[in-house]
Amino acid sequence: MAGFALLLLLFVASVYAVALYNQLVLVKHNVVKAWANIDVLLKQRNDEIPKLIDICRQYARFEASLLARLTSTRAAAVAAQQGASAYSVGRAEGALRAEVAQVAAIAEAYPDLRANTQFRALQERISGLEAAIADRREFYNESVRINNVTIERFPATLLAGWFAFRPAELLKFSDD
Amino acid sequence: MTDEVQVFAFAAITAVSGYLMWRRNMRAANLIEGTATSRVASAAKGYVELAGTARGAGGKPVRDPIQFLGCLWYNVVTEKRSMWSRNRDWSVERREASSEPLALQDDSGSCLITPGEAKIDEEQDPDVIVKESSTRRHKIWRIHDGDPLYALGFLERREPALAGAQGELLRVWKRDQAKLIERFDGNGDGHIDAAEWERARHAALERAAADAAAAPDAHIHYQLRRPGDDRPLLVASRTEAEVSRRVTWRSRLGLAMFVGGTLYVLFALQRYLT
């Protein structure tokens, strides 16, 4: 009887371990999926910025140094995105958002630029994308929290250690 | 001996149903706890978890068939038992659930849920049990406007099926040739040529788009479906914490039933064999 009971215990433990492993896989993939969802929007937003720079350049007096900074910050954001590290993307993204906000603030002094329908449409598109990025960042960070809590919980932490499930990094923008 | 066989069979059934209950609820608990809550408007297409408030989707008003109370969704299980037989347990006589879609609304938007595809409040306690007689009763589950609503399922954008509606309109128009010619025969030759037919198609498409925009659920741009794989579409008029607690509890109960039933079966087998 004791042998049967031991077998039953082993069976229960192995079913539980399989479910736990599947849970670790699920939360890990949820983080990857959430990151991919942000990545798409970051790319779309980064593709809009050169258009914004081109329109601003048409106004000769518009701050050339700001546009040059915006160009290099965008290049840094694109490079950071290719590295796919949440820390570097967060830093580059914070800087880029600050530059874009500055362009919008300075554009207030240029009535012709503000009246340009293309400029207004671009500004709306960029702020819409930034709002969507903010929402998805919140979702990504929640997925990261779930992943990190799951792999630190006992007994999942044993399986996470054996199968090398790692904690993920929160996405923090440097202007937060 | 007969009693022993009955107890053995009961233990075996308890073990099997406990195992299934344990696995199903453990999986549901893992999905609920492992999926972050999205906001409707910014959720990406795919398997998502949403939490918000139950709202009507603009369809027909719904009333439960027992107490006739207005609600967004109901499920009625009618049970009966025999007055005289030895077994006086309740057995299900009839099930009836409403099929009108309902909406989950959060601070960013609304999402349509079709009850037929979802497991709504399954295995939760009923809201009310109405006793019709000592041998017949009705268990009623209801979701009201403003109730908390939790859902886990496959989110996608709703696109009105304009092509289908356009085709249907053209079929209807073609049945009345005289009217069709009167409307679209621009050159007055008594026939609809290719250019005139194109104009008719365009008019049908415009009408289909106008009808879709005027539909009561036109403001709902998303819908939650059962995914193509074996993951469920779960809906509950509870908060996420309550749903999670419930499935975890049921998972543990299932495990206890499985272990208890299996131990008894093994014990009985050993006794029988020795």
Side-chain angles (χ1 to χ4, degrees), chain A residues 78-94:
Chain A
V78 170
Q81 229 183 315
Q82 280 156 4
S85 140
Y87 174 74
S88 48
V89 167
R91 276 179 65 88
E93 187 57 26

Side-chain angles (χ1 to χ4, degrees), chain A residues 1 23 30 37 135-136 139, chain B residues 30 34 36 38-39 42 270:
Chain A
M1 188 62 193
Q23 171 78 341
N30 280 347
N37 289 335
D135 274 351
R136 291 204 178 165
F139 178 72
Chain B
N30 285 351
S38 300
R39 296 170 78 222
S42 60
Q270 192 191 32

